[in-house]
């Protein structure tokens, strides 16, 4: 158990819909990362927050957005869903910006039908 | 960040040492080598990292060549539960805005 909690674990929805994935980092961790893993793309970095502020952005689609709240939990919002958005979405946390030791949650599996 | 090259797959007999190679010939002086693994659709798990000295922890050992252009992750006594995809990543340590970039990794199959 990494201490990172992601909900929901599984989500099935239809094209065009909007979903929100939630991540609670390990206690005391200030940095949160979101990754997407689909079968053909591997693990892709989406976005990083540190203490509520966006710090790095990867290949995150404009239809996707995220935020980190004052209590440090984070949400990833996916809208206008397409079939290709079906993937595992992982959240990770770390205590600081400098470390490369990330703690990953078990992921949220999104299926878009 | 420098790129890494890993074999796509490897087999290892249960109880034997698993030696996973990684080539990072363009690594910079301030870049560390990190290893993660991912067991079938679970979240990736940090294993170990190092700069230039060999490192060991309860999970594995990391051997980095003197020129730092390659490294080997060693699982001393592989078990079936070590079957996973292993990722070798290089990253500047104090670079808060540089996320970990995962490649395709090596799929290790531990065989009974």
């Amino acid at each position: 158990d990494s201490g990172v909690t992601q909900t929901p674990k599984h989500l099935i929805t239809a094209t065009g819909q909007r979903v929100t994935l939630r991540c609670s980092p390990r206690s005391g961790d200030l940095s949160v990362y979101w990754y997407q893993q689909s079968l053909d793309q591997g693990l892709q970095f989406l976005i990083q927050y540190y203490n509520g502020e966006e710090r790095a952005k990867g290949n995150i689609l404009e239809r996707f957005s995220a935020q980190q709240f004052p209590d440090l939990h984070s949400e990833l919002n996916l809208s206008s869903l397409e079939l290709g958005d079906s993937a595992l979405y992982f959240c990770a946390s770390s205590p600081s910006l400098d470390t490369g030791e990330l703690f990953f949650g078990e992921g949220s599996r999104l299926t878009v039908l | 960040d420098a790129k890494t090259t890993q074999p796509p797959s490897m087999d290892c007999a249960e109880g034997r040492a698993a030696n996973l190679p990684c080539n990072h010939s363009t690594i910079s002086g301030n870049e560390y080598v990190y290893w993660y693994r991912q067991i079938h659709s679970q979240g990736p798990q940090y294993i170990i990292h190092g700069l230039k000295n060999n490192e060991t922890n309860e999970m594995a050992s990391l051997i980095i060549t003197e020129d730092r252009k390659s490294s080997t992750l060693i699982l001393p006594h592989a078990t079936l539960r070590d079957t996973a995809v292993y990722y070798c990543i290089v990253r500047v340590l104090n670079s808060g805005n540089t996320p970990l970039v995962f490649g395709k990794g090596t799929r290790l199959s531990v065989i009974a």
Side-chain angles (χ1 to χ4, degrees):
Chain A
D1 182 7
S2 67
V4 177
T5 303
Q6 290 189 246
T7 57
K9 285 184 169 46
H10 300 276
L11 188 56
I12 301 174
T13 188
T15 55
Q17 295 298 304
R18 171 189 170 95
V19 299
T20 297
L21 309 180
R22 182 187 169 99
C23 170
S24 294
R26 291 189 325 154
S27 177
D29 283 359
L30 298 178
S31 199
V32 169
Y33 310 75
W34 286 97
Y35 284 81
Q36 178 193 54
Q37 186 172 37
S38 54
L39 280 177
D40 57 348
Q41 293 292 327
L43 271 162
Q44 299 289 314
F45 168 72
L46 295 178
I47 199 163
Q48 175 195 1
Y49 283 85
Y50 178 78
N51 204 20
E53 294 187 4
E54 181 183 309
R55 294 304 299 260
K57 185 178 281 192
N59 296 324
I60 186 168
L61 300 173
E62 285 190 10
R63 300 183 286 108
F64 296 0
S65 65
Q67 56 182 326
Q68 185 180 27
F69 295 86
D71 67 353
L72 301 178
H73 91 271
S74 178
E75 292 181 357
L76 178 67
N77 301 296
L78 315 175
S79 62
S80 302
L81 285 168
E82 302 175 359
L83 296 178
D85 298 327
S86 295
L88 268 169
Y89 291 84
F90 290 105
C91 170
S93 74
S94 66
S96 70
L97 284 173
D98 297 334
T99 178
E101 184 177 352
L102 306 187
F103 297 86
F104 282 79
E106 290 303 305
S108 292
R109 182 177 292 279
L110 173 66
T111 302
V112 182
L113 300 177
Chain B
D1 286 355
K3 291 185 177 180
T4 62
T5 303
Q6 299 178 252
S9 65
M10 293 181 63
D11 292 338
C12 178
E14 188 177 22
R16 303 297 293 271
N19 298 285
L20 293 99
C22 179
N23 181 284
H24 32 79
S25 58
T26 60
I27 192 170
S28 300
N30 61 347
E31 287 182 314
Y32 281 66
V33 180
Y34 287 83
W35 283 84
Y36 279 75
R37 74 179 183 183
Q38 185 175 24
I39 298 172
H40 186 58
S41 295
Q42 295 180 19
Q45 177 189 24
Y46 165 84
I47 300 173
I48 199 168
H49 76 279
L51 180 64
K52 54 183 178 181
N53 297 321
N54 298 338
E55 302 287 345
T56 295
N57 62 21
E58 66 279 3
M59 289 183 66
S61 294
L62 174 60
I63 308 297
I64 302 175
T65 58
E66 194 168 341
D67 63 7
R68 303 209 323 121
K69 293 185 177 182
S70 65
S71 61
T72 301
L73 179 75
I74 301 173
L75 309 177
H77 305 287
T79 71
L80 298 178
R81 287 178 293 182
D82 292 321
T83 293
V85 178
Y86 288 78
Y87 299 96
C88 170
I89 303 165
V90 295
R91 178 186 182 268
V92 176
L93 179 62
N94 296 321
S95 176
N97 297 336
T98 305
L100 288 177
V101 177
F102 290 80
K104 295 186 183 301
T106 295
R107 183 173 298 276
L108 175 69
S109 298
V110 180
I111 303 167

